[in-house]
Amino acid sequence: MITVIEQAVQARLIATAPKVETVPVTLCYDRSDPFAVRMAFPALATLEGVEVSWTFARELLMSGLRHPSGCGDVRVRPYDGDRTTVEFHAPEGVAIVLMTTAELQHFLERTSALVPPGLEHRYLDMDHSLDELMRGSC
């Protein structure tokens, strides 16, 4: 059974690393962390020259396709009928990327087939999570 979904998409960088316009981005969803999605950017697209991943709520991405969402480090909003803007706020600055809404919708449909929205709690392994927390608490 599939437990991890990865999907490569193209993102157009509006403000970030110098002279990089379009970069491949990897979207990732892991059933063991059912509330989150991860977006990984290759080294060539970052100021540090290393791959950077952002993890944020799947619900934020879902709602951001329909209306402006988020007020923290990650913000998502429709740009036009075909594209969605994702903003990443960090102490070093702000990166803004445009992504094709259809690609994001396809990714979210795949994640919803794996873990239906609203049922994420059924996929949490609380015993494992508590074990991990307790291991680091002595």
Side-chain angles (χ1 to χ4, degrees):
M1 170 179 242
I2 295 172
T3 61
V4 176
I5 295 171
E6 285 193 353
Q7 180 174 320
V9 298
Q10 291 294 313
R12 182 171 173 90
L13 298 168
I14 304 302
T16 186
K19 298 182 183 177
V20 178
E21 290 190 12
T22 302
V23 296
V25 173
T26 302
L27 299 171
C28 184
Y29 181 77
D30 187 337
R31 187 173 69 178
S32 68
D33 190 6
F35 289 100
V37 294
R38 185 171 52 85
M39 195 173 287
F41 294 86
L44 68 101
T46 69
L47 294 173
E48 298 82 18
V50 297
E51 181 178 299
V52 173
S53 293
W54 286 76
T55 302
F56 53 96
R58 175 173 70 161
E59 175 57 33
L60 174 62
L61 188 57
M62 288 177 170
S63 63
L65 297 182
R66 296 183 307 277
H67 52 80
S69 299
C71 58
D73 293 343
V74 180
R75 302 170 191 181
V76 183
R77 68 179 188 280
Y79 181 77
D80 58 24
D82 298 325
R83 296 175 292 178
T84 298
T85 300
V86 183
E87 295 180 16
F88 299 96
H89 296 254
E92 300 81 17
V94 177
I96 302 171
V97 297
L98 278 177
M99 304 179 81
T100 304
T101 302
E103 287 183 313
L104 294 174
Q105 286 173 327
H106 178 67
F107 172 72
L108 290 169
E109 287 167 6
R110 294 175 64 206
T111 71
S112 295
L114 188 60
V115 176
L119 299 179
E120 293 91 348
H121 64 282
R122 292 186 180 175
Y123 295 85
L124 290 174
D125 184 350
M126 293 303 290
D127 291 333
H128 176 73
S129 297
L130 285 173
D131 284 344
E132 289 293 315
L133 284 172
M134 297 304 285
R135 242 181 262 163
S137 67
C138 289

